[in-house]
Amino acid sequence: MLRRPRWIAYLLLAVLFGVAAAGLGAWQWQRHQEKVERRDLVEANYDAPAVPLGEVLRPDGTLPPDQQWRRVQVEGEYAASDQHLVRNRPYQGVFGYEVLVPLATGEDAALAVDRGWVRNAETAATEPEVPPPPAGPVTVTGWLRPSEPDLGRDLPEGQLASVDVPGLAGATGQPLVGAYLILEAEEPPPTDRPAPLARPDTRLGSHFAYALQWWLTVPVGLVLVLVMARQTAREERRGETADDRASARSSRPRRVRIWDEEDA
Protein backbone atom coordinates (compact mmCIF):
# COMPACT_ATOMS: atom_id res chain seq x y z
CA MET A 1 0.00 0.00 0.00
CA LEU A 2 2.60 2.58 1.11
CA ARG A 3 4.78 1.76 -1.91
CA ARG A 4 2.31 3.31 -4.28
CA PRO A 5 3.42 6.72 -5.69
CA ARG A 6 0.46 8.56 -4.16
CA TRP A 7 1.22 7.30 -0.66
CA ILE A 8 4.94 7.94 -1.06
CA ALA A 9 4.07 11.57 -1.85
CA TYR A 10 1.85 11.73 1.25
CA LEU A 11 4.67 10.35 3.37
CA LEU A 12 7.13 12.93 2.03
CA LEU A 13 4.69 15.73 2.83
CA ALA A 14 4.24 14.35 6.34
CA VAL A 15 8.01 14.23 6.85
CA LEU A 16 8.38 17.81 5.62
CA PHE A 17 5.64 18.93 8.00
CA GLY A 18 7.38 17.16 10.88
CA VAL A 19 10.71 18.81 10.08
CA ALA A 20 9.06 22.24 9.89
CA ALA A 21 7.22 21.69 13.18
CA ALA A 22 10.44 20.59 14.88
CA GLY A 23 12.22 23.69 13.59
CA LEU A 24 9.47 26.02 14.79
CA GLY A 25 9.51 24.33 18.17
CA ALA A 26 13.29 24.82 18.43
CA TRP A 27 12.89 28.50 17.50
CA GLN A 28 10.25 29.04 20.19
CA TRP A 29 12.46 27.22 22.70
CA GLN A 30 15.37 29.51 21.81
CA ARG A 31 13.14 32.55 22.36
CA HIS A 32 12.15 31.11 25.73
CA GLN A 33 15.78 30.56 26.72
CA GLU A 34 16.69 34.13 25.74
CA LYS A 35 13.91 35.49 27.94
CA VAL A 36 14.97 33.27 30.82
CA GLU A 37 18.55 34.55 30.55
CA ARG A 38 17.34 38.14 30.40
CA ARG A 39 15.07 37.65 33.41
CA ASP A 40 17.89 36.10 35.43
CA LEU A 41 20.25 38.94 34.48
CA VAL A 42 17.75 41.65 35.43
CA GLU A 43 16.87 39.97 38.72
CA ALA A 44 20.55 39.57 39.60
CA ASN A 45 21.60 43.16 38.79
CA TYR A 46 18.62 45.49 38.96
CA ASP A 47 18.15 45.61 42.74
CA ALA A 48 21.80 45.01 43.68
CA PRO A 49 23.62 47.74 45.64
CA ALA A 50 25.03 50.51 43.46
CA VAL A 51 28.75 50.29 42.69
CA PRO A 52 31.17 52.80 41.10
CA LEU A 53 31.08 52.97 37.31
CA GLY A 54 34.74 51.97 36.99
CA GLU A 55 34.07 48.61 38.63
CA VAL A 56 31.64 47.63 35.89
CA LEU A 57 33.02 48.86 32.57
CA ARG A 58 35.89 47.23 30.73
CA PRO A 59 39.13 49.22 30.33
CA ASP A 60 38.00 50.27 26.84
CA GLY A 61 34.79 51.73 28.28
CA THR A 62 32.42 49.02 26.95
CA LEU A 63 29.85 47.14 29.02
CA PRO A 64 30.29 43.38 29.54
CA PRO A 65 27.13 41.43 28.64
CA ASP A 66 26.76 40.02 32.17
CA GLN A 67 26.79 43.56 33.62
CA GLN A 68 23.73 44.83 31.76
CA TRP A 69 21.20 46.40 34.14
CA ARG A 70 23.94 46.75 36.74
CA ARG A 71 23.13 49.48 39.22
CA VAL A 72 25.91 52.09 39.49
CA GLN A 73 26.54 55.48 41.08
CA VAL A 74 28.43 58.25 39.27
CA GLU A 75 29.47 61.79 40.21
CA GLY A 76 29.82 64.56 37.65
CA GLU A 77 28.17 67.56 36.02
CA TYR A 78 25.56 67.54 33.30
CA ALA A 79 26.39 69.14 29.96
CA ALA A 80 22.87 70.55 29.61
CA SER A 81 23.63 72.26 26.29
CA ASP A 82 24.34 68.85 24.72
CA GLN A 83 20.93 67.40 25.58
CA HIS A 84 19.36 65.26 22.84
CA LEU A 85 15.90 63.73 22.45
CA VAL A 86 15.30 60.16 21.28
CA ARG A 87 12.18 59.94 19.12
CA ASN A 88 9.27 57.48 19.11
CA ARG A 89 9.80 55.98 22.55
CA PRO A 90 6.75 54.31 24.14
CA TYR A 91 5.68 54.95 27.72
CA GLN A 92 2.43 53.52 29.13
CA GLY A 93 1.01 53.17 25.63
CA VAL A 94 1.94 56.70 24.51
CA PHE A 95 4.84 57.68 22.24
CA GLY A 96 7.15 60.53 23.12
CA TYR A 97 10.84 61.27 23.66
CA GLU A 98 13.52 59.97 25.98
CA VAL A 99 15.91 62.64 27.21
CA LEU A 100 19.67 62.01 26.88
CA VAL A 101 22.17 64.28 28.61
CA PRO A 102 25.95 63.68 28.82
CA LEU A 103 27.35 63.64 32.35
CA ALA A 104 30.99 64.76 32.53
CA THR A 105 32.71 62.61 35.16
CA GLY A 106 36.02 64.48 35.30
CA GLU A 107 37.98 61.43 34.14
CA ASP A 108 38.43 62.41 30.49
CA ALA A 109 35.16 60.61 29.78
CA ALA A 110 31.45 61.25 29.98
CA LEU A 111 28.42 59.05 30.49
CA ALA A 112 25.18 59.42 28.56
CA VAL A 113 22.28 59.55 31.03
CA ASP A 114 18.72 58.74 29.99
CA ARG A 115 16.83 61.01 32.39
CA GLY A 116 13.39 59.69 31.43
CA TRP A 117 10.44 60.27 29.12
CA VAL A 118 8.51 63.35 27.99
CA ARG A 119 5.33 63.57 25.94
CA ASN A 120 5.34 64.68 22.29
CA ALA A 121 4.60 68.32 21.54
CA GLU A 122 1.52 69.29 19.53
CA THR A 123 3.44 68.95 16.24
CA ALA A 124 6.52 66.98 15.19
CA ALA A 125 8.33 70.23 14.34
CA THR A 126 7.87 71.57 17.88
CA GLU A 127 10.18 70.44 20.66
CA PRO A 128 8.49 69.36 23.88
CA GLU A 129 9.08 71.04 27.21
CA VAL A 130 11.81 69.18 29.08
CA PRO A 131 12.67 69.72 32.76
CA PRO A 132 16.33 70.78 32.88
CA PRO A 133 18.95 68.66 34.64
CA PRO A 134 20.44 69.84 37.95
CA ALA A 135 23.21 72.44 37.63
CA GLY A 136 26.60 71.89 39.25
CA PRO A 137 27.99 68.72 40.77
CA VAL A 138 25.49 65.89 41.01
CA THR A 139 25.51 62.25 42.10
CA VAL A 140 23.57 60.04 39.72
CA THR A 141 22.30 56.52 40.42
CA GLY A 142 20.89 54.25 37.74
CA TRP A 143 21.22 51.17 35.57
CA LEU A 144 23.71 50.57 32.77
CA ARG A 145 22.61 49.56 29.29
CA PRO A 146 24.59 48.94 26.08
CA SER A 147 24.30 51.38 23.19
CA GLU A 148 21.47 50.77 20.76
CA PRO A 149 22.23 50.46 17.01
CA ASP A 150 22.18 53.47 14.75
CA LEU A 151 18.96 53.37 12.70
CA GLY A 152 20.46 55.58 9.98
CA ARG A 153 17.68 58.18 9.92
CA ASP A 154 18.11 61.84 9.04
CA LEU A 155 16.56 63.78 11.91
CA PRO A 156 16.49 67.42 13.02
CA GLU A 157 19.38 68.72 15.09
CA GLY A 158 19.18 67.65 18.69
CA GLN A 159 17.26 64.44 17.97
CA LEU A 160 18.22 60.77 17.66
CA ALA A 161 16.30 57.76 16.35
CA SER A 162 17.69 55.44 19.05
CA VAL A 163 19.87 55.57 22.15
CA ASP A 164 22.92 55.51 19.90
CA VAL A 165 25.86 56.42 22.15
CA PRO A 166 28.40 56.83 19.31
CA GLY A 167 25.87 59.01 17.47
CA LEU A 168 25.42 61.18 20.55
CA ALA A 169 29.20 61.42 20.97
CA GLY A 170 29.59 62.50 17.35
CA ALA A 171 26.82 65.09 17.66
CA THR A 172 28.13 66.61 20.92
CA GLY A 173 31.88 66.04 20.78
CA GLN A 174 31.71 64.44 24.23
CA PRO A 175 34.08 61.48 24.87
CA LEU A 176 31.33 59.09 25.90
CA VAL A 177 31.90 55.60 27.29
CA GLY A 178 30.32 52.72 25.40
CA ALA A 179 27.19 52.43 27.53
CA TYR A 180 24.44 54.65 28.87
CA LEU A 181 22.67 54.97 32.20
CA ILE A 182 18.92 54.84 32.82
CA LEU A 183 18.35 57.32 35.61
CA GLU A 184 16.99 56.20 38.96
CA ALA A 185 17.80 59.19 41.17
CA GLU A 186 19.85 62.40 41.34
CA GLU A 187 21.39 64.06 44.39
CA PRO A 188 20.66 66.87 44.98
CA PRO A 189 17.19 66.04 43.64
CA PRO A 190 15.73 68.35 40.99
CA THR A 191 12.42 70.12 41.47
CA ASP A 192 11.14 68.33 38.36
CA ARG A 193 12.39 65.65 35.99
CA PRO A 194 11.16 63.60 33.01
CA ALA A 195 8.96 60.60 33.83
CA PRO A 196 11.11 57.71 35.17
CA LEU A 197 11.31 54.73 32.85
CA ALA A 198 9.53 51.57 33.94
CA ARG A 199 11.25 48.54 35.39
CA PRO A 200 12.17 46.09 32.59
CA ASP A 201 9.54 43.48 31.77
CA THR A 202 10.83 40.04 32.80
CA ARG A 203 7.75 38.00 31.93
CA LEU A 204 8.59 34.89 29.92
CA GLY A 205 5.55 34.90 27.67
CA SER A 206 4.17 31.78 25.96
CA HIS A 207 7.23 30.63 24.03
CA PHE A 208 7.67 27.49 26.15
CA ALA A 209 4.06 26.42 25.57
CA TYR A 210 4.37 27.14 21.85
CA ALA A 211 7.53 25.03 21.66
CA LEU A 212 5.75 22.07 23.26
CA GLN A 213 2.78 22.47 20.93
CA TRP A 214 4.97 22.44 17.84
CA TRP A 215 6.97 19.42 19.03
CA LEU A 216 3.80 17.49 19.84
CA THR A 217 2.58 18.03 16.27
CA VAL A 218 5.77 16.58 14.72
CA PRO A 219 4.35 13.01 14.31
CA VAL A 220 0.81 14.14 13.43
CA GLY A 221 1.37 14.05 9.66
CA LEU A 222 2.81 10.54 9.69
CA VAL A 223 0.05 9.28 11.97
CA LEU A 224 -2.62 10.70 9.65
CA VAL A 225 -1.01 9.11 6.59
CA LEU A 226 -0.77 5.70 8.30
CA VAL A 227 -4.38 5.88 9.50
CA MET A 228 -5.58 6.87 6.02
CA ALA A 229 -3.55 4.08 4.42
CA ARG A 230 -4.93 1.50 6.84
CA GLN A 231 -8.50 2.67 6.25
CA THR A 232 -8.01 2.56 2.48
CA ALA A 233 -6.55 -0.95 2.67
CA ARG A 234 -9.55 -2.12 4.70
CA GLU A 235 -11.97 -0.65 2.20
CA GLU A 236 -10.11 -2.29 -0.70
CA ARG A 237 -10.18 -5.67 1.06
CA ARG A 238 -13.91 -5.29 1.68
CA GLY A 239 -14.44 -4.46 -1.98
CA GLU A 240 -12.43 -7.46 -3.12
CA THR A 241 -14.39 -9.76 -0.76
CA ALA A 242 -17.69 -8.40 -2.04
CA ASP A 243 -16.58 -8.93 -5.65
CA ASP A 244 -15.52 -12.51 -4.89
CA ARG A 245 -18.90 -13.27 -3.33
CA ALA A 246 -20.75 -11.80 -6.30
CA SER A 247 -18.58 -13.80 -8.70
CA ALA A 248 -19.19 -16.99 -6.74
CA ARG A 249 -22.93 -16.49 -6.82
CA SER A 250 -22.93 -15.85 -10.56
CA SER A 251 -20.87 -19.02 -11.28
CA ARG A 252 -23.22 -21.40 -9.42
CA PRO A 253 -25.66 -23.43 -11.65
CA ARG A 254 -29.15 -22.04 -11.58
CA ARG A 255 -31.48 -24.20 -9.50
CA VAL A 256 -34.44 -25.39 -11.57
CA ARG A 257 -37.72 -25.36 -9.73
CA ILE A 258 -40.39 -28.05 -10.32
CA TRP A 259 -42.94 -25.65 -11.67
CA ASP A 260 -40.30 -24.23 -14.00
CA GLU A 261 -39.94 -27.76 -15.51
CA GLU A 262 -43.73 -28.19 -15.77
CA ASP A 263 -44.02 -24.86 -17.47
CA ALA A 264 -41.36 -25.90 -19.89
Side-chain angles (χ1 to χ4, degrees), residues 98-264:
E98 288 181 24
V99 183
L100 288 183
V101 187
L103 180 75
T105 63
E107 300 178 359
D108 297 327
L111 174 67
V113 177
D114 188 334
R115 299 192 66 238
W117 180 91
V118 294
R119 186 180 295 271
N120 285 330
E122 293 183 0
T123 65
T126 305
E127 289 191 0
E129 294 185 5
V130 180
V138 63
T139 300
V140 174
T141 305
W143 301 275
L144 288 179
R145 299 288 294 135
S147 174
E148 295 179 359
D150 179 11
L151 300 182
R153 297 175 184 171
D154 187 15
L155 297 178
E157 184 178 356
Q159 295 187 15
L160 297 170
S162 63
V163 187
D164 172 25
V165 174
L168 180 63
T172 62
Q174 294 280 356
L176 297 173
V177 299
Y180 73 98
L181 180 140
I182 295 178
L183 179 64
E184 178 186 18
E186 296 164 324
E187 186 64 40
T191 56
D192 192 15
R193 60 162 287 186
L197 300 184
R199 185 185 181 98
D201 184 3
T202 56
R203 291 174 296 182
L204 299 181
S206 303
H207 300 294
F208 179 72
Y210 291 154
L212 291 180
Q213 289 174 8
W214 280 116
W215 285 334
L216 289 173
T217 61
V218 168
V220 168
L222 288 174
V223 171
L224 287 176
V225 171
L226 293 176
V227 170
M228 291 169 57
R230 183 178 181 183
Q231 184 66 25
T232 301
R234 285 181 176 177
E235 292 176 355
E236 290 181 353
R237 284 196 296 270
R238 289 174 184 171
E240 291 175 357
T241 302
D243 292 342
D244 292 342
R245 290 175 180 173
S247 177
R249 286 196 299 268
S250 63
S251 62
R252 291 175 186 171
R254 185 171 179 271
R255 182 179 297 176
V256 180
R257 295 172 296 184
I258 298 174
W259 50 85
D260 289 337
E261 295 178 349
E262 293 177 349
D263 293 341

Side-chain angles (χ1 to χ4, degrees), residues 32-43 204:
H32 171 72
Q33 288 295 100
E34 290 172 354
K35 288 203 170 186
V36 168
E37 292 174 2
R38 182 178 183 274
R39 179 201 62 188
D40 294 344
L41 186 63
V42 171
E43 291 180 351
L204 299 181

Side-chain angles (χ1 to χ4, degrees), residues 25-98:
W27 174 64
Q28 290 289 350
W29 176 255
Q30 182 181 0
R31 295 286 305 279
H32 171 72
Q33 288 295 100
E34 290 172 354
K35 288 203 170 186
V36 168
E37 292 174 2
R38 182 178 183 274
R39 179 201 62 188
D40 294 344
L41 186 63
V42 171
E43 291 180 351
N45 293 340
Y46 195 86
D47 295 319
V51 298
L53 179 65
E55 293 185 10
V56 179
L57 297 180
R58 296 188 179 111
D60 61 357
T62 57
L63 181 66
D66 63 347
Q67 296 300 313
Q68 293 187 37
W69 295 108
R70 188 64 186 271
R71 195 160 170 256
V72 298
Q73 191 171 79
V74 190
E75 295 181 356
E77 291 189 24
Y78 281 116
S81 61
D82 290 328
Q83 174 178 285
H84 276 63
L85 302 179
V86 185
R87 297 171 63 106
N88 296 325
R89 307 295 282 197
Y91 179 80
Q92 297 182 355
V94 179
F95 281 86
Y97 298 90
E98 288 181 24

Side-chain angles (χ1 to χ4, degrees), residues 1-12:
M1 170 66 69
L2 294 178
R3 294 180 182 179
R4 298 175 183 176
R6 182 182 65 172
W7 291 103
I8 291 175
Y10 290 161
L11 286 173
L12 289 176

